[in-house]
Amino acid sequence: GESVGLHLPTLSVQEGDNSIINCAYSNSASDYFIWYKQESGKGPQFIIDIRSNMDKRQGQRVTVLLNKTVKHLSLQIAATQPGDSAVYFCAETPGGSYIPTFGRGTSLIVHP
Amino acid sequence: DAGVTQSPTHLIKTRGQQVTLRCSPISGHKSVSWYQQVLGQGPQFIFQYYEKEERGRGNFPDRFSARQFPNYSSELNVNALLLGDSALYLCASSLTGQEQYFGPGTRLTVT
């Protein structure tokens, strides 16, 4: 069936490094994507979104890249900080729908 | 501005009991969605309401129900609780329904 998945369940980086978190999606009808950050004991926090008519979108220290050809989404975090340690989820929403599907998540661990 | 608020923060119930969870959306947001998140998994969609009308329902049994009030706040009700209903219940609000902002969640433990 259709699914959203993440390539790596855990990513460990050193403080100051750049981090890349990947996400594969299989629903070709998805046209809206969001990255969320979830810290332990808290609800998911909206980071950045992108629509299918774009390939790249930048925020503060974060960049989302969308490759529709291979159905791949990535989140790049520049100069990763210990406060970035969390679980990151990508979510996809099919066109005409308001219901996102979440992947399992990637745990990012930033070592000081 | 206040974000999405949920109450209670935690609660413990016994199998077979009923529970009501509450959510207040961000001011101006007319859409509220409910999700269930089991440890180690992503949130699973339960319901979405927009302008007090149900706009979507996930693959959950009829024991789960919800409603949205005129002030756009919402309640999620779960009847005949099972051990497997233990989870973090998340509420998210949105202007349109797509860009969703989550609350802190209610941790439900069923014993």
Side-chain angles (χ1 to χ4, degrees):
Chain A
E2 303 287 3
S3 65
V4 174
L6 297 175
H7 294 309
L8 297 173
T10 303
L11 176 65
S12 292
V13 300
Q14 290 297 127
E15 181 178 2
D17 287 351
N18 296 330
S19 302
I20 299 176
I21 301 172
N22 297 302
C23 176
Y25 66 96
S26 57
N27 188 345
S28 57
S30 292
D31 68 354
Y32 180 61
F33 305 87
I34 303 177
W35 280 102
Y36 287 95
K37 170 187 179 183
Q38 188 172 26
E39 297 175 274
S40 181
K42 298 183 179 180
Q45 175 189 354
F46 178 98
I47 302 173
I48 192 167
D49 62 354
I50 189 168
R51 297 198 176 275
S52 59
N53 61 351
M54 301 173 68
D55 296 324
K56 178 180 179 179
R57 192 166 187 217
Q58 290 183 293
Q60 186 176 13
R61 282 202 305 120
V62 296
T63 300
V64 56
L65 298 177
L66 176 62
N67 186 329
K68 295 179 287 293
T69 302
V70 295
K71 297 186 181 65
H72 184 266
L73 193 70
S74 69
L75 177 70
Q76 300 178 358
I77 305 174
T80 314
Q81 302 168 1
D84 294 326
S85 295
V87 176
Y88 289 79
F89 294 97
C90 69
E92 62 166 337
T93 306
S97 171
Y98 298 93
I99 301 169
T101 300
F102 286 78
R104 184 176 176 184
T106 290
S107 176
L108 175 65
I109 300 172
V110 182
H111 301 282
Chain B
D1 281 343
V4 177
T5 59
Q6 293 186 243
S7 64
T9 305
H10 299 85
L11 79 164
I12 300 173
K13 291 286 188 177
T14 304
R15 277 178 297 175
Q17 286 188 317
Q18 176 265 342
V19 69
T20 298
L21 310 180
R22 296 175 175 83
C23 171
S24 291
I26 293 170
S27 178
H29 285 193
K30 299 180 179 180
S31 174
V32 170
S33 299
W34 287 95
Y35 296 81
Q36 181 194 67
Q37 186 176 27
V38 177
L39 191 64
Q41 303 289 330
Q44 297 295 309
F45 172 76
I46 309 176
F47 288 107
Q48 186 177 102
Y49 279 79
Y50 181 77
E51 288 277 20
K52 301 178 287 293
E53 297 288 329
E54 182 181 301
R55 191 157 70 175
R57 172 186 284 256
N59 187 25
F60 280 80
D62 292 343
R63 299 184 295 107
F64 289 76
S65 64
R67 55 181 176 169
Q68 186 176 33
F69 299 99
N71 66 352
Y72 303 111
S73 67
S74 178
E75 286 182 352
L76 175 70
N77 295 284
V78 187
N79 294 322
L81 284 166
L82 303 174
L83 294 178
D85 295 330
S86 296
L88 180 68
Y89 288 85
L90 295 161
C91 173
S93 79
S94 172
L95 271 173
T96 62
Q98 282 203 323
E99 185 177 315
Q100 302 193 3
Y101 296 88
F102 285 83
T106 293
R107 173 70 62 186
L108 172 65
T109 301
V110 182
T111 62

